[in-house]
Amino acid sequence: MTRVWERRRGLLPVDGAGGDIARGGFEPCLLALLRLSVGTESGADVTRGWLPRALARTGHLARAAELVYSITDALDQGEELLALVKAAAGAGDLCGAQTLAESIPLRQLRDQALVALVPVWARAGERDRAVAVAQRIRYPHNWGKSWALLAKAAVDRGDIDEARGFAARAEDEVSSYAVDGTEQVLALLVEVAFATGDHDRAAVLADRVEEMTRFRDPTAWSLPRSLAMVLAREALDGNLDRLDALLRPPFGPADDEGGALCGWVPGEDVAQDTDRETGQGMDPEGDLDEPVVGLLSAGALLGARGMACVLDAVAESADQDVALALADRAATLLETGDGRDHDILLRSVTLLLARQGCADRAMALADRLDPDLRGGRQADVVAELAGSGDTGRAEALVHAIDDRWAKDRALVEVVRELARRGDTGRAEALVHAIDDRWAQGEALVAVARETARHGDPGRAEILTRSIVYRATRARALASLVELSEPFRARRLAAQVLVLDGWAPVLEALERIVPRSVALVVDELTR
């Protein structure tokens, strides 16, 4: 989408817009340029979306709220006010955020805003204030979540006793009645129980999540996401028993021996059984190359999309043994058919394998896709492999991609990772291997930013001059504004304003020209 948008904005003019500002050595009046820039554009919606949230993040919460309150639809207004509360809280204005939250007319959205503020106050060290906010939440179905969030915040601070107390209160709240969201609260309490070392309690809570998920009979429209989070937490702890049980058909044979972490040997009685639908026998080894077709079933509680949720949840933190054990199970599940969630699981297991350095297995899975999709998935594999630190092998894998656009995207990902790791010289050299002009510019955005971050802003600015698309160069210069000393930042910001208007640089501009966001809103609304 970025590529399409920036290509539509067109190439830089031959005379090089902004070049005089770059060479002149003077400090332009940014407020004047900003006003002129706003005057050339129209149609921006200042009552919703990123612009009022930018006001909230830059210290103009009252002005942002004034704009949002002009929305006539009560639900839209409430949702935008909730977004402002979160934006202001994220920027550190907790008092303003709470005042705004308490003014939201719709009671349910007011409750949601207060629930969102509870952990923020707790993480800020204001434990009593967080408790007071939790006690002001009106509707009972929100009470359990607020206390569970307090328990998680206490765990993150290392206060185990307080976390257990909050967790017990949260459990009491969700035990007295069944409401939508109870599974999410219980899943969060499982996380808290693991963090406090109470594994027995975690198992009891996990049983409740599983029971509730079974009772709700999840379909494609009601996915067991909470159960997937519980399964991910247990997997990270080395326990795959529940996962294995849920992947079996509902009335399939029992496994008396339990699932082994790496081998996943289900037992001879299971190995001798046959798949109810296909009639195929099951392989007792259960490895990725020879999947255990029949041990898993589309009738199992945890389907392809649920398994994808598990893989995504562990992707950042799983060690290799756990990751490969889960990949084996996912690959076996993929053998049960080509349902509508098949590609979702295929993507998750492919990226998990790539992140663990198993590029050959990941590429083999990508080869199963239709040619129209294959190149994009191969580019994803290259990106994950580069992100894991193996940039050399990632670069070599690029040559296995036949699709030209996917190949360019993969090269961009390698360039980004090289630049992030400080190897800007090699990253810059690799840019020349990219065929597409926009993709070259996209890669140079990352190289220029990291070059500036590593202390060479002059070289970074020179690199941006190789970017031929107007909007892409403006975005690159805007990223340098955030990393430059005030004089250089003002000059770069002026170039962005001349190149592509106020939108790319607005929030970065606030640091060097306070009230920039407010000025834009004033110009748009006068």
Side-chain angles (χ1 to χ4, degrees), residues 23 31 36 46 106 113-114 124 135 145 162 180 188 220 223 225 323 340 344 374 392 394 452 455 499:
R23 292 189 294 268
L31 287 177
L36 289 171
V46 297
L106 289 180
L114 293 175
Q135 291 171 336
K145 183 176 181 180
E162 187 170 81
D180 287 341
L188 185 55
L223 298 168
R225 295 191 183 278
R340 60 179 170 181
I344 295 173
R374 186 180 305 148
L499 279 172

Side-chain angles (χ1 to χ4, degrees), residues 20-360:
D20 292 340
I21 292 175
R23 292 189 294 268
F26 66 93
E27 190 170 317
C29 178
L30 282 175
L31 287 177
L33 280 174
L34 189 56
R35 284 192 173 95
L36 289 171
S37 173
V38 176
T40 62
E41 300 183 26
S42 61
D45 188 354
V46 297
T47 64
R48 67 190 75 221
W50 75 272
L51 197 51
R53 292 169 202 174
L55 277 173
R57 285 192 295 269
T58 53
H60 306 288
L61 181 58
R63 179 73 171 117
E66 177 188 347
L67 293 169
V68 171
Y69 271 117
S70 67
I71 299 173
T72 56
D73 183 88
L75 181 58
D76 284 350
Q77 181 193 89
E79 290 175 344
E80 289 297 324
L81 289 171
L82 173 59
L84 288 188
V85 168
K86 294 178 178 179
D93 184 7
L94 297 187
C95 292
Q98 184 169 339
T99 300
L100 180 60
E102 292 169 347
S103 74
I104 297 176
L106 289 180
R107 290 177 175 176
Q108 176 56 25
L109 288 170
R110 187 191 313 163
D111 254 20
Q112 290 180 30
L114 293 175
V115 169
L117 287 175
V118 166
V120 182
W121 277 116
R123 287 195 296 269
E126 298 282 351
R127 181 261 187 199
D128 293 341
R129 188 71 174 266
V131 171
V133 172
Q135 291 171 336
R136 298 190 64 175
I137 293 170
R138 178 184 181 91
Y139 291 115
H141 63 268
N142 291 319
W143 293 346
K145 183 176 181 180
S146 63
W147 294 111
L149 290 170
L150 270 174
K152 183 65 168 63
V155 161
D156 293 341
R157 293 197 315 271
D159 192 336
I160 302 303
D161 291 337
E162 187 170 81
R164 287 174 174 166
F166 288 141
R169 183 159 183 179
E171 189 175 350
D172 288 342
E173 295 293 351
V174 297
S175 296
S176 55
Y177 45 81
V179 296
D180 287 341
T182 297
E183 296 102 318
Q184 289 93 323
V185 174
L186 291 173
L188 185 55
L189 293 179
V190 170
E191 187 75 22
V192 171
F194 268 108
T196 59
D198 192 349
H199 288 222
D200 290 339
R201 190 71 203 142
V204 171
L205 293 167
D207 288 342
R208 289 184 59 190
V209 174
E210 180 184 343
E211 181 182 359
M212 293 189 72
T213 306
R214 287 182 183 275
F215 176 75
R216 291 183 185 275
D217 188 22
T219 66
W221 303 106
S222 177
L223 298 168
R225 295 191 183 278
S226 299
L227 180 58
M229 298 305 295
V230 168
L231 295 170
R233 179 61 264 178
E234 291 183 337
L236 291 173
D237 199 50
N239 179 6
L240 300 180
D241 291 342
R242 189 188 308 274
L243 178 72
D244 288 347
L246 293 174
L247 287 173
R248 295 190 183 95
F251 303 101
D255 175 11
D256 295 332
E257 298 181 16
L261 177 61
C262 297
W264 193 24
V265 181
E268 290 184 2
D269 56 333
V270 178
Q272 297 299 321
D273 200 10
T274 58
D275 183 87
R276 295 169 182 244
E277 297 181 5
T278 66
Q280 294 175 328
M282 290 186 280
D283 186 335
E285 295 301 320
D287 59 24
L288 187 60
D289 294 327
E290 299 181 41
V292 189
V293 179
L295 182 61
L296 309 180
S297 166
L301 181 63
L302 190 72
R305 186 170 294 202
M307 187 64 180
C309 289
V310 176
L311 299 187
D312 293 343
V314 304
E316 295 288 344
S317 50
D319 61 33
Q320 191 171 66
D321 285 346
V322 169
L324 295 184
L326 290 172
D328 286 346
R329 288 154 173 78
T332 304
L333 185 56
L334 288 171
E335 296 294 330
T336 64
D338 294 327
R340 60 179 170 181
D341 296 334
H342 179 274
D343 284 349
I344 295 173
L345 178 56
L346 184 58
R347 178 184 185 277
S348 294
V349 67
T350 300
L351 299 185
L352 180 67
L353 286 168
R355 184 165 295 181
Q356 293 295 327
C358 303
D360 292 339

Side-chain angles (χ1 to χ4, degrees), residues 382 385-386 389-399 414 417-418 426:
V382 170
L385 189 61
D390 195 350
T391 54
R393 194 174 180 202
E395 183 179 347
L397 277 179
V398 170
H399 301 295
V414 176
E417 189 59 29
L418 287 169
R426 184 177 162 205

